[in-house]
PDB file of all heavy atoms in Angstrom:
ATOM      1  N   TYR A  71      95.619 148.674  56.875  1.00  0.00           N
ATOM      2  CA  TYR A  71      95.976 149.292  58.154  1.00  0.00           C
ATOM      3  C   TYR A  71      95.433 150.798  58.200  1.00  0.00           C
ATOM      4  O   TYR A  71      95.562 151.521  57.222  1.00  0.00           O
ATOM      5  CB  TYR A  71      97.511 149.308  58.308  1.00  0.00           C
ATOM      6  CG  TYR A  71      97.909 149.663  59.692  1.00  0.00           C
ATOM      7  CD1 TYR A  71      97.770 148.823  60.801  1.00  0.00           C
ATOM      8  CD2 TYR A  71      98.416 150.966  59.966  1.00  0.00           C
ATOM      9  CE1 TYR A  71      98.114 149.176  62.029  1.00  0.00           C
ATOM     10  CE2 TYR A  71      98.768 151.373  61.261  1.00  0.00           C
ATOM     11  CZ  TYR A  71      98.602 150.451  62.282  1.00  0.00           C
ATOM     12  OH  TYR A  71      98.978 150.791  63.543  1.00  0.00           O
ATOM     13  N   PRO A  72      94.823 151.144  59.345  1.00  0.00           N
ATOM     14  CA  PRO A  72      94.243 152.491  59.459  1.00  0.00           C
ATOM     15  C   PRO A  72      95.285 153.603  59.157  1.00  0.00           C
ATOM     16  O   PRO A  72      96.411 153.442  59.511  1.00  0.00           O
ATOM     17  CB  PRO A  72      93.801 152.573  60.952  1.00  0.00           C
ATOM     18  CG  PRO A  72      93.721 151.232  61.407  1.00  0.00           C
ATOM     19  CD  PRO A  72      94.652 150.384  60.556  1.00  0.00           C
ATOM     20  N   LEU A  73      94.887 154.603  58.491  1.00  0.00           N
ATOM     21  CA  LEU A  73      95.617 155.810  58.094  1.00  0.00           C
ATOM     22  C   LEU A  73      96.668 155.519  56.977  1.00  0.00           C
ATOM     23  O   LEU A  73      96.875 156.305  56.114  1.00  0.00           O
ATOM     24  CB  LEU A  73      96.386 156.436  59.266  1.00  0.00           C
ATOM     25  CG  LEU A  73      95.480 156.920  60.431  1.00  0.00           C
ATOM     26  CD1 LEU A  73      96.387 157.406  61.567  1.00  0.00           C
ATOM     27  CD2 LEU A  73      94.522 157.946  60.024  1.00  0.00           C
ATOM     28  N   VAL A  74      97.247 154.327  57.003  1.00  0.00           N
ATOM     29  CA  VAL A  74      98.331 153.969  56.040  1.00  0.00           C
ATOM     30  C   VAL A  74      97.738 153.360  54.778  1.00  0.00           C
ATOM     31  O   VAL A  74      98.249 153.574  53.677  1.00  0.00           O
ATOM     32  CB  VAL A  74      99.350 153.078  56.697  1.00  0.00           C
ATOM     33  CG1 VAL A  74     100.419 152.603  55.679  1.00  0.00           C
ATOM     34  CG2 VAL A  74      99.940 153.722  57.931  1.00  0.00           C
ATOM     35  N   GLY A  75      96.653 152.600  54.921  1.00  0.00           N
ATOM     36  CA  GLY A  75      96.057 151.908  53.754  1.00  0.00           C
ATOM     37  C   GLY A  75      96.584 150.535  53.659  1.00  0.00           C
ATOM     38  O   GLY A  75      96.957 149.861  54.565  1.00  0.00           O
ATOM     39  N   ASN A  76      96.539 150.020  52.416  1.00  0.00           N
ATOM     40  CA  ASN A  76      96.984 148.625  52.146  1.00  0.00           C
ATOM     41  C   ASN A  76      98.552 148.594  52.207  1.00  0.00           C
ATOM     42  O   ASN A  76      99.192 149.364  51.535  1.00  0.00           O
ATOM     43  CB  ASN A  76      96.505 148.155  50.829  1.00  0.00           C
ATOM     44  CG  ASN A  76      95.024 147.809  50.904  1.00  0.00           C
ATOM     45  OD1 ASN A  76      94.469 147.537  51.900  1.00  0.00           O
ATOM     46  ND2 ASN A  76      94.357 147.879  49.726  1.00  0.00           N
ATOM     47  N   VAL A  77      99.081 147.649  52.962  1.00  0.00           N
ATOM     48  CA  VAL A  77     100.517 147.493  53.121  1.00  0.00           C
ATOM     49  C   VAL A  77     100.854 146.091  52.706  1.00  0.00           C
ATOM     50  O   VAL A  77     100.346 145.114  53.170  1.00  0.00           O
ATOM     51  CB  VAL A  77     100.926 147.705  54.606  1.00  0.00           C
ATOM     52  CG1 VAL A  77     102.510 147.525  54.755  1.00  0.00           C
ATOM     53  CG2 VAL A  77     100.480 149.078  55.105  1.00  0.00           C
ATOM     54  N   ALA A  78     101.788 146.028  51.726  1.00  0.00           N
ATOM     55  CA  ALA A  78     102.271 144.690  51.218  1.00  0.00           C
ATOM     56  C   ALA A  78     103.201 144.059  52.313  1.00  0.00           C
ATOM     57  O   ALA A  78     104.233 144.662  52.633  1.00  0.00           O
ATOM     58  CB  ALA A  78     103.044 144.870  49.908  1.00  0.00           C
ATOM     59  N   VAL A  79     102.804 142.881  52.761  1.00  0.00           N
ATOM     60  CA  VAL A  79     103.579 142.258  53.879  1.00  0.00           C
ATOM     61  C   VAL A  79     104.053 140.870  53.466  1.00  0.00           C
ATOM     62  O   VAL A  79     104.834 140.266  54.224  1.00  0.00           O
ATOM     63  CB  VAL A  79     102.822 142.233  55.167  1.00  0.00           C
ATOM     64  CG1 VAL A  79     102.508 143.639  55.655  1.00  0.00           C
ATOM     65  CG2 VAL A  79     101.546 141.437  55.051  1.00  0.00           C
ATOM     66  N   ARG A  80     103.558 140.270  52.386  1.00  0.00           N
ATOM     67  CA  ARG A  80     103.948 138.968  51.974  1.00  0.00           C
ATOM     68  C   ARG A  80     105.501 138.843  51.809  1.00  0.00           C
ATOM     69  O   ARG A  80     106.098 139.698  51.122  1.00  0.00           O
ATOM     70  CB  ARG A  80     103.292 138.473  50.655  1.00  0.00           C
ATOM     71  CG  ARG A  80     103.798 137.124  50.183  1.00  0.00           C
ATOM     72  CD  ARG A  80     103.118 136.660  48.943  1.00  0.00           C
ATOM     73  NE  ARG A  80     101.816 136.188  49.300  1.00  0.00           N
ATOM     74  CZ  ARG A  80     100.683 136.395  48.504  1.00  0.00           C
ATOM     75  NH1 ARG A  80     100.807 136.986  47.372  1.00  0.00           N
ATOM     76  NH2 ARG A  80      99.555 135.877  48.909  1.00  0.00           N
ATOM     77  N   GLY A  81     106.072 137.817  52.432  1.00  0.00           N
ATOM     78  CA  GLY A  81     107.535 137.631  52.303  1.00  0.00           C
ATOM     79  C   GLY A  81     108.331 138.507  53.295  1.00  0.00           C
ATOM     80  O   GLY A  81     109.551 138.317  53.304  1.00  0.00           O
ATOM     81  N   LEU A  82     107.738 139.397  54.006  1.00  0.00           N
ATOM     82  CA  LEU A  82     108.433 140.203  54.974  1.00  0.00           C
ATOM     83  C   LEU A  82     108.528 139.509  56.375  1.00  0.00           C
ATOM     84  O   LEU A  82     107.751 138.613  56.666  1.00  0.00           O
ATOM     85  CB  LEU A  82     107.776 141.582  55.142  1.00  0.00           C
ATOM     86  CG  LEU A  82     107.631 142.414  53.888  1.00  0.00           C
ATOM     87  CD1 LEU A  82     106.950 143.750  54.254  1.00  0.00           C
ATOM     88  CD2 LEU A  82     109.013 142.711  53.252  1.00  0.00           C
ATOM     89  N   THR A  83     109.441 139.993  57.220  1.00  0.00           N
ATOM     90  CA  THR A  83     109.440 139.535  58.586  1.00  0.00           C
ATOM     91  C   THR A  83     108.615 140.529  59.375  1.00  0.00           C
ATOM     92  O   THR A  83     108.189 141.571  58.942  1.00  0.00           O
ATOM     93  CB  THR A  83     110.930 139.617  59.130  1.00  0.00           C
ATOM     94  OG1 THR A  83     111.347 140.942  59.185  1.00  0.00           O
ATOM     95  CG2 THR A  83     111.822 138.724  58.296  1.00  0.00           C
ATOM     96  N   THR A  84     108.341 140.186  60.641  1.00  0.00           N
ATOM     97  CA  THR A  84     107.564 141.045  61.521  1.00  0.00           C
ATOM     98  C   THR A  84     108.244 142.359  61.737  1.00  0.00           C
ATOM     99  O   THR A  84     107.666 143.436  61.842  1.00  0.00           O
ATOM    100  CB  THR A  84     107.167 140.384  62.838  1.00  0.00           C
ATOM    101  OG1 THR A  84     108.388 139.921  63.487  1.00  0.00           O
ATOM    102  CG2 THR A  84     106.234 139.275  62.658  1.00  0.00           C
ATOM    103  N   GLN A  85     109.609 142.366  61.834  1.00  0.00           N
ATOM    104  CA  GLN A  85     110.415 143.636  62.046  1.00  0.00           C
ATOM    105  C   GLN A  85     110.239 144.511  60.787  1.00  0.00           C
ATOM    106  O   GLN A  85     110.193 145.726  60.886  1.00  0.00           O
ATOM    107  CB  GLN A  85     111.874 143.346  62.331  1.00  0.00           C
ATOM    108  CG  GLN A  85     112.141 142.755  63.680  1.00  0.00           C
ATOM    109  CD  GLN A  85     112.041 141.204  63.744  1.00  0.00           C
ATOM    110  OE1 GLN A  85     111.855 140.568  62.694  1.00  0.00           O
ATOM    111  NE2 GLN A  85     112.081 140.654  64.890  1.00  0.00           N
ATOM    112  N   GLU A  86     110.285 143.885  59.628  1.00  0.00           N
ATOM    113  CA  GLU A  86     110.140 144.663  58.385  1.00  0.00           C
ATOM    114  C   GLU A  86     108.764 145.326  58.281  1.00  0.00           C
ATOM    115  O   GLU A  86     108.638 146.442  57.796  1.00  0.00           O
ATOM    116  CB  GLU A  86     110.456 143.814  57.126  1.00  0.00           C
ATOM    117  CG  GLU A  86     111.897 143.379  57.048  1.00  0.00           C
ATOM    118  CD  GLU A  86     112.200 142.300  56.005  1.00  0.00           C
ATOM    119  OE1 GLU A  86     111.252 141.490  55.660  1.00  0.00           O
ATOM    120  OE2 GLU A  86     113.365 142.201  55.605  1.00  0.00           O
ATOM    121  N   VAL A  87     107.742 144.604  58.679  1.00  0.00           N
ATOM    122  CA  VAL A  87     106.367 145.106  58.727  1.00  0.00           C
ATOM    123  C   VAL A  87     106.335 146.321  59.687  1.00  0.00           C
ATOM    124  O   VAL A  87     105.741 147.351  59.390  1.00  0.00           O
ATOM    125  CB  VAL A  87     105.364 144.060  59.011  1.00  0.00           C
ATOM    126  CG1 VAL A  87     103.946 144.670  59.164  1.00  0.00           C
ATOM    127  CG2 VAL A  87     105.320 142.993  57.920  1.00  0.00           C
ATOM    128  N   ALA A  88     106.884 146.117  60.860  1.00  0.00           N
ATOM    129  CA  ALA A  88     106.891 147.216  61.844  1.00  0.00           C
ATOM    130  C   ALA A  88     107.544 148.435  61.265  1.00  0.00           C
ATOM    131  O   ALA A  88     107.074 149.594  61.438  1.00  0.00           O
ATOM    132  CB  ALA A  88     107.623 146.759  63.094  1.00  0.00           C
ATOM    133  N   GLY A  89     108.685 148.295  60.566  1.00  0.00           N
ATOM    134  CA  GLY A  89     109.370 149.378  59.858  1.00  0.00           C
ATOM    135  C   GLY A  89     108.485 150.070  58.874  1.00  0.00           C
ATOM    136  O   GLY A  89     108.419 151.329  58.780  1.00  0.00           O
ATOM    137  N   ALA A  90     107.792 149.321  58.030  1.00  0.00           N
ATOM    138  CA  ALA A  90     106.902 149.881  56.991  1.00  0.00           C
ATOM    139  C   ALA A  90     105.734 150.651  57.661  1.00  0.00           C
ATOM    140  O   ALA A  90     105.399 151.722  57.132  1.00  0.00           O
ATOM    141  CB  ALA A  90     106.340 148.749  56.105  1.00  0.00           C
TER     142      ALA A  90
END
Side-chain angles (χ1 to χ4, degrees):
Y71 191 75
L73 303 177
V74 177
N76 288 335
V77 180
V79 298
R80 175 179 283 144
L82 300 181
T83 65
T84 53
Q85 288 88 6
E86 291 168 338
V87 173

